[in-house]
Amino acid sequence: MRTEILRADETAIEHAAQIIRSGGLVAFPTETVYGLGADALNADAVRKIFIAKERPFDDPLIVHIAHVHQLELLARHIPQRAWDLVKKFWPGPLTLVLPKTDRVPSVTTGGLDTVAVRAPAHPIARRLVELSERPIAAPSANRFGRPSPTTAQHVREDLDGRIDLILDGGPTPIGVESTVLDLTQDPPMILRPGGVTLEALQEILGEVRLLGSALSEAAKRSPGTRWRHYAPQAKLILAEPAELEQIVGDVLRSGRRVGVMIRESRLWTAADSLRVIQMPLDLSEYARRLFAALRELDAHGVEVIVVERVEERGLGRAIMDRLRKAAQTPPQ
Ligand code: TXA
Ligand code: MG
């Protein structure tokens, strides 16, 4: 059966909250990407998320709250710097990793004794959590490993028939996921760069570490940072601006269809086997377009996607993180 998409007015959100309360699955917009929500304190409901997404059970979920006081229900030993961050960045795209309380079922945290919590800023997400009267566990609402969904239609592409409802709130305004910050270590460590930048966190925290890209370290600290993630079906190649034309030419000559994501306009000879998406120079606009562009090129059936690198500052770090993971081949 097809999964229904409802425009997210108050009646639809109330209906969605009812589904969450009775242990079902609802996809909903947040300011970052669409999430796939279930009652975070109901282990059976949370288990359905992993099954619908085909996500490994050891990859922990983010728990969404509407009010700061719900944090104390989920996390213990909340340090002062957590409150400083909450004050500055919540509601918003910052996820905090803290030691969990016994209320949080271990399936929600992938068996870890820490929990990741965020208060989303999107009015539909907030209202849904409020009306559900419980925290909502929600990973991105994509099939595991695929580019994250930034529209209700993307959610349907990946999860149709597997979930109870999709709330449509239009395209998500940020387009890349929240920053995941581990506060159980000193200095705090960014496990996944996202909507709140390293520079903004440094202003509050002083020293902040960025999780190295070494596979072993990444996999240990945050299971979800394992490779080949956010990935289109096509093979993705990251290119320096200067080498881009050469690479695209080589792929075309090998007889494969190629998609290109570039920021500077260039002259391309029209070809059936070549599809070019002009990406914005502005990093916020780029982030908003990123996952939709990958899905669009997949839909055109290109075999290779060549993407021009972006500068690694501000949101550029989150963008490059996603592109690098999409370009990785799985470890042997
Ligand atoms: O913006 C977002 O964060 C979106 C929206 C829906 O809120 N959610 C999202 O969830 O991106 P997901 O499951 O796709 O990514 C969650 C990330 C994963 O990399 C996971 O490993 C990490 O957060 N994570 C969750 N709990 C953790 C924990 N206790 N310790 C370390 N990493 C954790
Ligand atoms: Mg995800």
Side-chain angles (χ1 to χ4, degrees), residues 246-277:
Q246 175 73 43
I247 293 174
V248 172
D250 288 348
V251 178
L252 283 174
R253 275 187 293 277
S254 74
R256 287 174 292 173
R257 275 161 303 163
V258 60
V260 185
M261 288 160 61
I262 44 160
R263 291 162 86 200
E264 308 286 353
S265 27
R266 294 169 208 223
L267 273 183
W268 295 89
T269 325
D272 286 345
S273 47
L274 175 67
R275 187 106 213 160
V276 180
I277 295 189

Side-chain angles (χ1 to χ4, degrees), residues 33 53 55 139-142 144 146 148 177 192 229-230:
V33 301
K53 276 184 61 99
R55 177 182 176 112
S140 47
N142 51 309
F144 186 71
R146 299 257 302 135
S148 295
E177 301 87 341
R192 177 180 73 183
H229 223 274
Y230 314 108

Side-chain angles (χ1 to χ4, degrees), residues 175-195:
V176 290
E177 301 87 341
S178 64
T179 302
V180 178
L181 183 71
D182 184 355
L183 288 178
T184 67
Q185 42 179 320
D186 195 12
M189 184 185 267
I190 295 177
L191 301 178
R192 177 180 73 183

Side-chain angles (χ1 to χ4, degrees), residues 32 55 59-60 62 64 114 116 118 139-140 177-178 191-192 222 224:
T32 56
R55 177 182 176 112
D59 189 355
I62 293 174
H64 297 66
T114 53
R118 89 175 184 99
S140 47
E177 301 87 341
S178 64
L191 301 178
R192 177 180 73 183
S222 185

